């Protein structure tokens, strides 16, 4: 049966268009219940024995939640107890439009077979489709559609042909009007909370209930603490007229009464508005999109240097002005003041479930407790739970439900427990969740697109490929690497030149555009490497097997092959899809030993020597052009084979072979970038590294000046050259320290689409154009680059999204976000394992260098461990020494001693685990000896003699 839907739509130019859409109604949409004999369905989802212990519904029943129940109670619906649920098409469509995260979670739940969630296409069923009546709102029409579908199910399951035997349908809604209408038409209907309370065998489900707006009023006091948020219409008018600014709210990690709102201007311009004090922060949470109003200039303030954590017992809801707020109001001289404002409304909440720990209430029998998030930028959250004694000492997840204007804290609900705090698995899970790293197992839908095993290269695969199996190709990687992306070869040509090839795993052969596997890889964006664990971007069958260029197996590759002369000048470049058979999978150390061993003259070693020779020339040429050689501390943990706890911690050593591989990867990336840009000027996916603003270099210049060394920063080449000659007699580590500081001054490199930007330059590499081509197993950007290159050489066809610069640009935003979060997660993992290491080691004495000087502390780098820590001079338990900070130096005078950047010090290192959620590495000064400040060196069991640091 064909119906037509008519609606009007406003175009960009302001004209009104009438749109008529055909809408098909069908008779062959089945109910999905195994209790039904009437529907001619091949498979069913809803069980006949749909039993759940409830003192409201003692009979078998199916649940039909309305849209608001799904939107607000997704944590309850996701619980294993809740099964046999009918999700109506009306509800699914509304959820999709209103909340992408909830829609994704609902889809994931629907894919779990044991949950028995069934989607019923009520909008296309002849008996459940309804037209919108004149004067009826879209919302009311949808509520009516849900009631009509619920009635149809009730009657359908009562038919003589159905062996349902008392099977009923229960509608769940929190809308009083909808509930009343459903009851009037004879439907079985309950409020979500009523129904969950009735599940006698599962009382803990009550904790997962999100508070409804009626409940929120009960929990708070009558006193209004915060200004009312303005409605969206007022906010939009204010933004248009310029009286309000729209920006992203960024809470401070160190001071819970302070935040900045980042306002994006035209092009690259952006401003930051400072917000101070509870009233002006006005219930905004980190990462919310807010509207701010600037205060008059005479009320502008300077950022506070006070560290304030919201700790201890719950603050009262009716305190006038906090004592702590008064601490903020320090008089600042005019220059330090920043544009200051107040939050007047929330445009978009960016709440997610937060990890943290419960502060159990001191009041006996209380069910209301405060939850402290692991992320210090998130406020504490008030939740109701009856299992506080069980949850104490555990890491848990909590979601915010709302923040009424008369409550000091937001209200939320318990989502799930993650395990005991401090345990390795629990902390790893927290780390992944807090950095938004997708780490769930790959779904069946994704795995279904993997090749069937056993897999082999077919004659069809060979048609468009060059057969390079005869070449002496080998790979060089870190020890234990199983996801081998790249392999190399070098051989002499008859004309006296050299042929060099970089062969990259052909991942895009296995991952086709737009399928579930491709979408999952695009969403993950990158593989995340934690200490002792890898979270793959693509399933293991590809990452460690079919795409991994292991030795002595045939693998599909994408090759970049150059003809070079002995001066490493490129004479010809070609790209081809190929097949290789790697002759050896070597570690950096093994490759280095082959190169250095004069007795070895086999073809693999000759190839490596040729590559190494050219790489040295390429590196010299790159550095002459102004490429930077920076330094950052990378550490390697040695794990206990049984407990997997770190037993040793060392900084990684880099060899010549590391540099050899890097040079050819850089060259391949640059060659490919040029090729895809020449072919697709509008939609090439490239990578750029913006130059840092001059002010970023202040600390580097001051540090160098303190040792009478001059650094020039007007260009990358000037910086590289001056770093090369920066030396201090008797202080060989000085140059490395300077390069570590220079690294901190840099901007983040980012992916972008060539059609949306005009500045392609890569500052650090001193290259006019750059991309990522060489690691498609672990980076999604490289897969897109492979597809572009394949299209450019006619080895594969394009597809619309690949040629759409707006889609490419949106993809780049996600990739940049995922890469940044992966980096933070990796650092957090190193930090956690460092804490474990010192927990097992006790107190350690080490030599280090002052990296930064602060008002009340010095930040010390311990080269042996690649570890940074802070030595505070104004601890709570001691009388503060006489401190004088000079910003110009920067220097810090502690009693009679002056600290400069790069001073050599000796410290004790230990783990402070007094706050289980925020454990810290503590450092205390041993040398120089400052009476009343430094500590005596503790006696430590003698260990093997360590090389002395200069």
């Amino acid at each position: 049966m064909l119906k037509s839907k008519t609606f009007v739509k406003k175009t960009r130019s302001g004209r009104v268009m009438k749109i008529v859409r055909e809408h098909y109604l069908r008779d062959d949409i089945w109910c999905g219940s195994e209790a039904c004999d009437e529907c001619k369905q091949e498979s069913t989802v809803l069980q006949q024995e749909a039993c759940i212990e409830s003192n409201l519904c003692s009979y078998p029943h199916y649940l039909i939640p309305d849209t608001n129940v799904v939107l607000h109670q997704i944590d309850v619906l996701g619980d294993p107890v809740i099964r046999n649920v009918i999700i109506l098409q009306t509800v699914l469509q509304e959820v999709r439009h209103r909340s992408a995260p909830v829609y994704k979670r609902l889809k994931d739940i629907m894919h779990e077979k044991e949950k028995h969630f069934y989607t019923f296409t009520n909008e296309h069923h002849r008996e459940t489709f309804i037209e919108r009546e004149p004067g009826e709102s879209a919302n009311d029409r949808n509520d009516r559609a849900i009631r009509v579908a619920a009635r149809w199910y009730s009657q359908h399951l009562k038919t003589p042909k159905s062996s349902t035997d008392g099977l009923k349908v229960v509608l769940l809604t929190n809308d009083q009007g909808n509930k009343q209408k459903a009851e009037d038409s004879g439907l079985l209907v309950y409020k979500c909370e009523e129904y969950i309370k009735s599940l006698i065998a599962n009382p803990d489900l009550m904790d997962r209930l999100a508070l409804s707006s009626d409940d929120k009023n009960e929990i708070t006091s009558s006193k209004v603490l915060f200004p009312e948020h303005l409605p969206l219409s007022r906010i939009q008018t204010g933004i248009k007229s310029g009286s309000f600014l729209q920006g992203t709210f960024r809470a401070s990690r160190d001071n819970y009464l302070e935040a900045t709102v980042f306002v994006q201007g035209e092009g690259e311009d952006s401003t930051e508005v400072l917000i101070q004090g509870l009233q002006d922060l006005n219930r905004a949470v980190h990462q919310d999109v807010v509207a701010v109003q600037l205060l008059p200039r005479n009320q502008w303030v300077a950022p506070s240097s006070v560290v304030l954590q919201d700790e201890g017992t719950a603050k009262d809801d009716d305190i006038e002005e906090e004592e702590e707020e008064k601490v903020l109001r320090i008089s600042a001289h005019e220059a330090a003041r920043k544009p200051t404002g107040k939050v007047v409304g929330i445009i978009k909440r960016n709440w997610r479930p937060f990890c943290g720990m419960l502060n159990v209430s001191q009041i006996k029998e209380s069910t209301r407790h405060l939850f402290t998030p692991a992320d210090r930028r998130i406020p504490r959250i008030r939740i109701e739970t009856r299992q506080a004694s069980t949850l104490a000492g555990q890491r848990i997840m909590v979601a915010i439900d709302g923040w009424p204007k008369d409550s000091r804290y937001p209200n939320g609900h318990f989502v799930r427990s993650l395990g005991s705090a401090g345990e390795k698995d629990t902390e790893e899970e927290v780390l992944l969740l807090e950095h938004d790293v997708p780490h769930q197992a790959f779904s069946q839908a994704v795995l279904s697109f993997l090749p069937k095993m056993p897999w082999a290269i077919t004659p069809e695969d060979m048609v468009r490929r060059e057969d390079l199996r005869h070449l002496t190709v080998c790979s060089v990687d870190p020890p234990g690497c199983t996801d081998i992306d790249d392999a190399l070869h070098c051989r002499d040509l008859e004309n006296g030149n050299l042929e060099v090839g970089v062969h990259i795993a052909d991942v895009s052969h296995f991952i086709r555009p737009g399928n579930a596997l491709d979408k999952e890889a695009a969403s993950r964006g990158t593989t995340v490497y934690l200490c002792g664990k890898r979270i793959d971007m693509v399933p293991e069958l590809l990452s460690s097997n079919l795409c991994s260029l292991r030795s002595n197996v045939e693998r599909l590759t994408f090759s970049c092959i150059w003809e070079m002369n002995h001066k490493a000048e490129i004479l010809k470049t070609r790209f081809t899809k190929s097949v290789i058979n790697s002759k050896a999978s070597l570690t950096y150390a093994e490759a280095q030993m082959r190169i250095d061993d004069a007795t070895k003259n086999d073809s693999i070693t000759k190839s490596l020597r040729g590559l190494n020779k050219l790489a040295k020339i390429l590196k010299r040429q790159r550095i002459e052009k102004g490429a930077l050689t920076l330094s950052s501390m990378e550490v390697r943990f040695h794990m206990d084979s049984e407990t997997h706890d770190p037993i040793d911690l060392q900084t990684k050593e880099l060899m010549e072979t590391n540099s050899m591989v890097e040079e050819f990867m850089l060259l391949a990336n640059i060659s490919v970038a040029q090729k895809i840009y020449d072919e697709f000027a509008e939609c090439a996916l490239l990578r750029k590294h913006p130059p840092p603003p001059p002010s970023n270099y202040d600390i580097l210049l001051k540090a160098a000046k303190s040792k009478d060394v001059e650094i020039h920063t007007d260009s990358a080449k000037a910086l590289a050259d001056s770093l090369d000659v920066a030396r201090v007699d008797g202080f060989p580590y000085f140059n490395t320290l300077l390069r570590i500081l220079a690294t901190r001054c840099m901007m983040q490199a980012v992916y972008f689409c060539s059609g949306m930007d005009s500045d392609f330059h890569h500052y650090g590499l001193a290259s006019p154009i750059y991309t990522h081509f060489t690691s498609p197993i672990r980076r999604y950007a490289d897969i897109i680059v492979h597809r572009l290159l394949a299209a450019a050489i006619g080895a594969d066809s394009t597809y619309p999204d690949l040629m759409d610069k707006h889609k490419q640009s949106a993809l780049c935003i996600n990739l940049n976000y995922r890469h940044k979060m992966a980096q933070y997660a990796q650092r957090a993992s190193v930090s956690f394992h460092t804490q474990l290491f010192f927990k097992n080691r006790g107190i350690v004495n080490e030599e280090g260098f002052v990296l930064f000087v602060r008002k009340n502390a010095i930040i010390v780098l311990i080269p042996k461990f690649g570890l940074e820590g802070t030595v505070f001079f104004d601890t709570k338990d001691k009388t503060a020494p006489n401190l004088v900070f000079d910003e110009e130096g920067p220097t810090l005078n502690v009693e009679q001693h002056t600290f400069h950047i790069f001073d050599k010090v000796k410290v004790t290192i230990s783990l402070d685990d007094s706050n289980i959620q925020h454990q810290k590495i503590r450092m205390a000064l041993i040398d120089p000896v400052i009476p009343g400040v430094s500590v005596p060196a503790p006696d430590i069991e003698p260990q093997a003699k360590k090389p002395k640091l200069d």
Side-chain angles (χ1 to χ4, degrees):
M1 180 179 166
L2 184 64
K3 294 189 86 74
S4 61
K5 273 183 162 181
T6 309
F7 57 96
V8 289
K9 185 180 168 186
K10 207 172 191 179
T11 65
R12 276 186 177 173
S13 59
R15 288 171 50 220
V16 174
M17 272 171 66
K18 184 177 180 182
I19 294 176
V20 179
R21 282 212 183 125
E22 291 179 341
H23 190 79
Y24 290 90
L25 298 183
R26 301 166 54 159
D27 298 319
D28 58 350
I29 294 171
W30 315 129
C31 71
S33 170
E34 64 182 27
C36 170
D37 299 326
E38 191 176 327
C39 294
K40 301 178 182 67
Q41 46 207 358
E42 285 171 19
S43 62
T44 54
V45 174
L46 301 164
Q47 296 169 294
Q48 183 161 351
E49 298 300 319
C51 296
I52 183 168
E53 272 191 78
S54 160
N55 56 17
L56 275 179
C57 316
S58 52
Y59 35 80
H61 58 277
Y62 299 151
L63 296 174
I64 298 184
D66 75 358
T67 308
N68 281 323
V69 168
V70 174
L71 284 170
H72 299 121
Q73 308 295 353
I74 191 73
D75 289 323
V76 170
L77 294 175
D79 191 280
V81 172
I82 305 294
R83 297 193 302 274
N84 294 296
V85 176
I86 299 160
I87 300 292
L88 300 176
Q89 182 190 0
T90 310
V91 171
L92 196 60
Q93 285 172 342
E94 269 199 285
V95 169
R96 187 177 165 200
H97 287 131
R98 285 171 58 182
S99 171
V102 174
Y103 178 70
K104 187 183 182 308
R105 283 192 63 191
L106 182 59
K107 293 288 277 187
D108 290 343
I109 294 169
M110 282 154 55
H111 283 132
E112 293 174 35
K113 283 200 169 69
E114 63 280 5
K115 290 281 289 168
H116 302 282
F117 269 51
Y118 180 67
T119 314
F120 180 63
T121 320
N122 63 310
E123 296 288 355
H124 287 278
H125 192 292
R126 192 197 288 266
E127 292 178 47
T128 57
F129 171 74
I130 58 162
E131 299 268 13
R132 187 165 153 192
E133 290 174 354
E136 187 177 37
S137 73
N139 203 22
D140 288 346
R141 181 257 166 216
N142 288 347
D143 283 349
R144 190 161 59 88
I146 293 167
R147 294 196 299 273
V148 166
R151 192 179 308 114
W152 178 85
Y153 255 104
S154 298
Q155 289 162 354
H156 178 75
L157 294 174
K158 277 183 195 161
T159 55
K161 287 188 189 175
S162 297
S163 52
T164 55
D165 200 24
L167 185 60
K168 298 191 177 174
V169 174
V170 175
L171 176 63
L172 295 183
T173 179
N174 286 331
D175 180 327
Q176 195 54 50
N178 194 19
K179 184 171 184 277
Q180 191 59 54
K181 286 176 183 164
E183 282 170 348
D184 293 348
S185 60
L187 287 173
L188 252 175
V189 57
Y190 293 111
K191 277 191 162 184
C192 186
E193 191 180 334
E194 276 180 290
Y195 178 76
I196 298 302
K197 275 183 181 165
S198 80
L199 304 180
I200 29 195
N202 297 281
D204 55 333
L205 254 185
M206 280 293 296
D207 290 350
R208 296 188 177 203
L209 272 175
L211 294 172
S212 65
S213 45
D214 304 348
D215 306 334
K216 288 174 191 169
N217 299 333
E218 294 168 23
I219 268 194
T220 54
S221 70
S222 55
K223 187 165 177 56
V224 174
L225 291 177
F226 296 100
E228 187 82 69
H229 285 150
L230 297 179
L232 217 48
S233 54
R234 280 274 308 279
I235 290 172
Q236 283 163 343
T237 314
I239 289 170
K240 264 186 187 167
S241 68
S243 53
F244 300 151
L245 298 169
Q246 174 177 330
T248 307
F249 184 87
R250 293 181 180 169
S252 161
R253 224 181 268 278
D254 300 320
N255 187 338
Y256 77 101
L257 294 174
E258 188 168 279
T260 50
V261 173
F262 181 80
V263 181
Q264 185 66 54
E266 290 297 314
E268 296 289 303
D269 292 344
S270 60
T271 44
E272 286 196 348
V273 178
L274 186 67
I275 317 280
Q276 268 189 7
L278 271 183
Q279 292 258 318
D280 289 351
L281 294 170
N282 198 3
R283 297 169 286 153
V285 176
H286 183 62
Q287 294 294 10
D288 283 349
V289 180
V290 298
V292 288
Q293 183 175 19
L294 281 178
L295 298 174
R297 205 172 254 276
N298 61 356
Q299 290 177 30
W300 287 9
V301 292
S304 166
S305 56
V306 185
V307 173
L308 283 179
Q309 303 295 346
D310 185 11
E311 292 169 334
T313 53
K315 306 272 196 310
D316 242 335
D317 280 347
D318 43 13
I319 284 179
E320 280 300 321
E321 185 182 17
E322 303 261 348
E323 281 301 307
E324 290 169 339
E325 292 209 15
K326 292 171 187 165
V327 180
L328 295 178
R329 315 261 182 253
I330 47 166
S331 57
H333 59 85
E334 203 64 41
R337 293 186 181 183
K338 292 237 159 70
T340 308
K342 61 179 181 183
V343 173
V344 292
I346 309 289
I347 296 165
K348 182 172 180 273
R349 287 289 194 192
N350 268 328
W351 293 342
R352 58 181 173 84
F354 301 105
C355 302
M357 294 182 76
L358 203 62
N359 292 21
V360 179
S361 169
Q362 304 300 311
I363 306 163
K364 224 175 169 207
E365 304 299 313
S366 173
T367 58
R368 286 168 56 193
H369 307 273
L370 270 186
F371 161 84
T372 305
D375 186 340
R376 290 190 184 278
R377 294 167 300 189
I378 306 298
R380 296 198 282 174
I381 302 163
R382 192 179 268 149
I383 69 165
E384 290 236 3
T385 175
R386 288 150 196 78
Q387 40 181 340
S389 52
T390 319
L391 298 178
Q394 293 200 356
R395 291 279 205 167
I396 62 172
M397 279 181 89
V398 161
I400 300 181
D401 299 325
W403 196 342
K405 60 179 183 292
D406 44 10
S407 169
R408 171 71 173 70
Y409 301 104
N411 296 322
H413 66 274
F414 167 74
V415 176
R416 66 187 171 104
S417 172
L418 301 168
S420 298
E423 278 185 10
K424 205 163 157 187
D425 290 348
T426 306
E427 296 304 324
E428 209 157 69
E429 176 78 355
V430 168
L431 189 152
L432 292 168
L433 289 164
E434 282 298 292
H435 292 97
D436 196 12
V437 173
H439 59 286
Q440 65 283 12
F442 288 100
S443 69
Q444 277 311 118
V446 168
L447 299 175
S448 68
F449 286 97
L450 291 174
K452 303 289 172 274
M453 296 302 284
W455 174 86
I457 295 171
T458 63
E460 295 87 75
D461 291 335
M462 295 300 296
V463 172
R464 284 183 168 178
R465 289 182 186 271
E466 217 171 300
D467 189 345
L468 305 178
R469 287 175 287 195
H470 60 287
L471 293 178
T472 308
V473 171
C474 66
S475 62
V476 185
D477 289 282
C481 176
T482 61
D483 51 345
I484 303 170
D485 288 287
D486 53 271
L488 300 153
H489 88 270
C490 175
R491 62 173 180 166
D492 294 323
L493 294 174
E494 287 173 1
N495 62 8
N497 290 330
L498 296 163
E499 178 186 85
V500 176
V502 165
H503 311 279
I504 305 298
D506 189 3
V507 182
S508 62
H509 171 83
F510 296 97
I511 301 182
R512 303 310 294 163
N515 68 22
L517 177 56
D518 181 47
K519 285 178 179 165
E520 182 65 23
S523 164
R524 292 185 179 217
T526 178
T527 291
V528 181
Y529 296 90
L530 305 180
C531 302
K533 185 174 185 173
R534 186 179 85 202
I535 288 118
D536 281 327
M537 179 183 83
V538 298
E540 196 176 10
L541 177 66
L542 296 182
S543 67
S544 295
N545 187 351
L546 303 185
C547 291
S548 186
L549 307 184
R550 305 188 304 195
S551 53
N552 304 313
V553 288
E554 294 181 356
R555 287 291 177 257
L556 301 178
T557 46
F558 209 151
S559 301
C560 172
I561 300 169
W562 303 279
E563 185 178 329
M564 291 183 176
N565 60 24
H566 289 267
K567 293 181 189 166
E569 291 164 342
I570 298 171
L571 308 172
K572 280 185 197 157
T573 307
R574 66 189 179 90
F575 306 99
T576 177
K577 291 252 182 171
S578 53
V579 179
I580 64 160
N581 187 325
S582 171
K583 304 298 180 273
S585 304
L586 305 172
T587 65
Y588 290 117
E590 287 167 348
Q592 193 66 53
M593 278 156 64
R594 276 178 180 260
I595 290 168
D596 297 341
D597 185 348
T599 62
K600 280 199 182 303
N601 271 312
D602 56 283
S603 57
I604 294 172
T605 308
K606 280 182 180 169
S607 178
L608 287 168
R609 284 189 188 130
L611 289 165
N612 199 35
K613 206 169 166 185
L614 291 169
K616 285 178 179 175
I617 303 169
L618 287 169
K619 186 169 187 175
R620 195 177 65 242
Q621 289 171 354
R622 235 173 18 88
I623 289 169
E624 278 167 10
K625 280 187 197 157
L628 295 171
T629 314
L630 298 174
S631 181
S632 64
M633 288 299 213
E634 279 199 67
V635 295
R636 166 162 284 137
F637 292 94
H638 293 269
M639 302 291 194
D640 182 299
S641 56
E642 286 181 16
T643 64
H644 298 293
D645 280 353
I647 47 178
D648 198 11
L649 171 58
Q650 293 169 340
T651 49
K652 288 183 188 173
E653 266 187 81
L654 294 178
M655 303 181 185
E656 251 184 27
T657 43
N658 288 73
S659 181
M660 173 187 86
V661 173
E662 185 187 10
E663 284 310 314
F664 288 108
M665 296 306 118
L666 293 174
L667 193 61
N669 286 335
I670 292 167
S671 299
V672 170
Q674 197 56 59
K675 177 71 178 174
I676 61 173
Y677 178 62
D678 289 346
E679 205 67 36
F680 305 111
E682 283 293 292
C683 58
L685 192 150
L686 302 174
R687 188 164 175 82
K688 69 171 180 175
H689 182 217
S695 61
N696 277 29
Y697 285 125
D698 287 353
I699 192 72
L700 178 71
L701 298 174
K702 283 177 179 175
K705 194 179 169 191
S706 71
K707 298 286 180 201
D708 295 322
V709 169
E710 207 172 339
I711 297 285
H712 300 285
T713 58
D714 20 336
S715 71
K717 175 141 181 64
L719 175 61
D721 291 348
S722 50
L723 283 173
D724 283 343
V725 296
R727 298 272 177 273
V728 171
D729 292 339
F731 189 179
Y733 202 68
F734 171 74
N735 192 268
T736 307
L737 284 170
L738 214 51
R739 288 180 194 274
I740 288 170
L741 267 193
T743 309
R744 308 286 172 93
C745 302
M746 294 300 142
M747 306 291 282
Q748 191 88 30
V750 289
Y751 296 112
F752 68 101
C753 174
S754 59
M756 305 290 277
D757 209 323
S758 54
D759 176 22
F760 296 3
H761 190 75
H762 196 293
Y763 181 80
L765 296 173
S767 174
I769 193 164
Y770 192 66
T771 193
H772 272 162
F773 163 75
T774 54
S775 297
I777 296 177
R778 60 186 177 89
R779 292 188 304 231
Y780 188 76
D782 303 51
I783 293 179
I784 294 291
V785 169
H786 276 227
R787 288 174 182 167
L788 287 161
L789 184 62
I793 63 167
D796 206 340
S797 50
T798 65
Y799 55 98
D801 281 8
L802 191 67
M803 297 291 115
D804 183 332
K805 64 180 182 181
H806 298 285
K807 292 250 172 79
Q808 287 281 47
S809 202
L811 175 67
C812 288
I813 290 168
N814 181 53
L815 294 181
N816 290 331
Y817 169 71
R818 291 290 186 212
H819 276 262
K820 185 172 73 179
M821 293 320 258
Q823 218 176 5
Y824 291 163
Q826 280 151 332
R827 282 182 206 160
S829 178
V830 168
S831 173
F832 174 65
H833 279 78
T834 307
Q835 289 170 9
L836 274 184
F837 172 71
F838 283 107
K839 188 177 188 172
N840 300 334
R841 284 287 294 269
I843 297 179
V844 178
N845 300 340
E846 278 302 334
E847 290 179 342
F849 298 99
V850 176
L851 207 52
F852 298 105
V853 178
R854 299 276 185 259
K855 280 182 184 172
N856 59 346
I858 52 173
I859 290 158
V860 177
L861 175 76
I862 312 292
K864 178 178 187 290
F865 298 134
L867 172 71
E868 253 175 71
T870 310
V871 176
F872 285 102
F873 294 118
D874 58 351
T875 49
K876 286 177 188 171
D877 48 356
K878 282 187 183 176
T879 52
N882 187 21
L883 301 177
V884 181
F885 177 67
D886 174 15
E887 212 165 325
E888 278 312 298
T891 61
L892 178 66
N893 238 37
V894 182
E895 297 295 340
Q896 303 307 309
H897 185 87
T898 305
F899 287 99
H900 305 82
I901 293 183
F902 298 161
D903 280 359
K904 193 169 164 187
V905 293
K906 196 167 188 183
V907 293
T908 69
I909 311 167
S910 59
L911 179 69
D912 172 8
D913 54 7
S914 55
N915 178 340
I916 193 164
Q917 178 151 255
H918 296 116
Q919 300 191 18
K920 287 191 195 85
I921 296 291
R922 283 262 179 241
M923 290 189 183
L925 191 68
I926 300 175
D927 190 53
V929 175
I930 303 172
V933 175
S934 56
V935 297
D939 294 329
I940 286 178
E941 292 169 29
Q943 291 185 352
K945 204 163 188 235
K946 303 182 197 77
K948 201 167 182 300
L949 281 171
D950 286 318

